[in-house]
Amino acid sequence: MLELKNICVSFRSERQEKIFGTTRTQVLFDVCLSVPQGTCLGILGESGSGKSTLGKVICGLLKPDKGEVKMDGTSVYGSRAGRKNLQKRLSVVFQDYTTSANPRFRVKDLIGEGLAARERKNRERLDRQEETRKLLELVGLDESYASRFPHELSGGQLQRVCIARAVACQPEMILFDEAVSSLDAHTQVQVMDLLLDLKKKLGLTYIFITHDLTSVTYFCDDVMFLYRGRVTEHLPVSRIADTKDPYARRLLDSIIDFEEDDCHEAV
Ligand SMILES: Nc1ncnc2c1ncn2[C@@H]1O[C@H](COP(=O)(O)OP(=O)(O)O)[C@@H](O)[C@H]1O
Ligand SMILES: [Mg+2]
């Protein structure tokens, strides 16, 4: 469904040598990936490895220096129509749900942004109140939340609202950038279960960016490791134990160590 070929991205360096022109720091090196319809791809890497930059390239916000992004065969950066096509079909949920939700908006207005996008896309008028109720129900919140402000919700509830907003425009694919990372472990599992449920009900395709290996094994079909801007491995989650990527190995070994420690304690 989505395909990236040889994506390279660089940013202008902070220390600029005026005499020699600007220097650039490369952040992504020849990144390739593909996401078949109905699957979930995990993008895993430590902080600063270029995950969010890759996310921006995927959702049409950052044109790469080199390489191609294709959505069902149509190039995203090749034309305005390409970008429109992507916007219609892809929604994004960010980590920072506190800033991605305007604090002066009520829940119904936040979800209304997604509904407005659907109205534009399908050229239709929706019963906003009824649609909002349905979406809240879908993410496990009742109608009474519609008139609340973001600060009147817990982190998990607000993230549910952001998810409702993302599905309101009826996307085919959703990109999550560290969307559950700042929630506590229990809420993380609840939100991931909700996402799995939505994926099945709505036939969605996911890209799930995270630094957390456990959520990838819980949630994804395939996993791709990003290390200092390079893809070091791309394999099914079921074969994750076979990985030769050094960063992935370290992560896996630390989890195994941890589990062994638990066993010792139990003994
Ligand atoms: N707009 C930008 N301008 C300059 N450098 C950037 C910009 N965005 C990201 N970077 C740099 O790119 C690298 C990768 O960042 P990022 O993609 O946010 O990593 P991650 O999400 O994996 O933590 C970092 O070194 C960061 O400083
Ligand atoms: Mg990031």
Side-chain angles (χ1 to χ4, degrees):
M1 185 170 187
L2 181 80
E3 208 173 354
L4 272 71
K5 270 202 189 129
N6 303 100
I7 299 296
C8 294
V9 171
S10 63
F11 293 112
R12 209 177 288 155
S13 296
E14 274 164 29
R15 273 179 291 133
Q16 289 175 21
E17 306 275 342
K18 285 233 170 76
I19 306 165
F20 303 110
T22 55
T23 50
R24 298 182 75 86
T25 314
Q26 194 162 350
V27 175
L28 293 177
F29 301 82
D30 280 314
V31 173
C32 299
L33 66 85
S34 65
V35 193
Q37 184 168 4
T39 63
C40 176
L41 172 70
I43 299 178
L44 189 69
E46 57 191 3
S47 173
S49 56
K51 303 183 299 295
S52 295
T53 305
L54 182 59
K56 282 178 199 151
V57 171
I58 291 171
C59 61
L61 294 172
L62 180 71
K63 190 175 185 321
D65 304 345
K66 216 187 99 211
E68 195 159 39
V69 183
K70 278 188 174 172
M71 184 75 169
D72 274 341
T74 311
S75 165
V76 170
Y77 292 96
S79 65
R80 249 178 79 92
R83 215 178 282 210
K84 275 261 151 65
N85 173 48
L86 179 85
Q87 278 169 1
K88 273 188 194 167
R89 306 168 69 166
L90 177 94
S91 270
V92 190
V93 179
F94 292 105
Q95 161 171 36
D96 211 351
Y97 46 81
T98 43
T99 53
S100 69
N102 187 332
R104 286 169 205 218
F105 274 27
R106 292 176 192 273
V107 166
K108 58 181 172 210
D109 304 319
L110 293 168
I111 294 177
E113 292 177 317
L115 291 173
R118 193 203 306 176
E119 287 181 338
R120 282 196 300 276
K121 177 165 95 173
N122 299 345
R123 296 168 202 276
E124 62 179 346
R125 279 253 154 264
L126 294 167
D127 177 348
R128 293 272 185 107
Q129 197 180 347
E130 174 58 13
E131 289 300 320
T132 304
R133 191 194 61 74
K134 278 199 243 166
L135 284 162
L136 283 173
E137 187 185 305
L138 195 64
V139 297
L141 298 173
D142 70 61
E143 219 171 334
S144 69
Y145 284 89
S147 51
R148 291 212 198 176
F149 287 103
H151 71 265
E152 295 170 326
L153 302 173
S154 71
Q157 288 167 343
L158 187 51
Q159 197 57 311
R160 283 170 193 270
V161 170
C162 290
I163 293 164
R165 174 173 62 176
V167 296
C169 62
Q170 293 181 328
E172 293 160 42
M173 186 177 229
I174 306 182
L175 172 88
F176 301 92
D177 188 352
E178 305 273 14
V180 300
S181 303
S182 51
L183 301 172
D184 63 79
H186 179 66
T187 317
Q188 271 190 16
V189 173
Q190 283 182 338
V191 172
M192 284 193 287
D193 283 339
L194 165 68
L195 293 177
L196 286 174
D197 184 42
L198 288 179
K199 181 166 174 281
K200 215 177 341 165
K201 268 191 201 148
L202 307 174
L204 293 164
T205 305
Y206 286 162
I207 298 178
F208 191 74
I209 296 178
T210 181
H211 62 272
D212 175 37
L213 182 73
T214 339
S215 54
V216 165
T217 51
Y218 188 76
F219 193 67
C220 301
D221 302 302
D222 293 308
V223 58
M224 190 187 101
F225 293 100
L226 203 59
Y227 183 69
R228 298 194 178 162
R230 290 185 166 84
V231 179
T232 51
E233 190 107 72
H234 187 157
L235 77 182
V237 165
S238 55
R239 289 192 15 238
I240 205 167
D242 305 336
T243 183
K244 295 195 174 57
D245 171 71
Y247 172 67
R249 274 261 58 98
R250 253 186 296 139
L251 278 178
L252 280 170
D253 292 343
S254 67
I255 288 177
I256 292 163
D257 279 352
F258 183 64
E259 281 173 354
E260 280 173 357
D261 284 350
D262 274 358
C263 294
H264 291 316
E265 261 172 45
V267 174

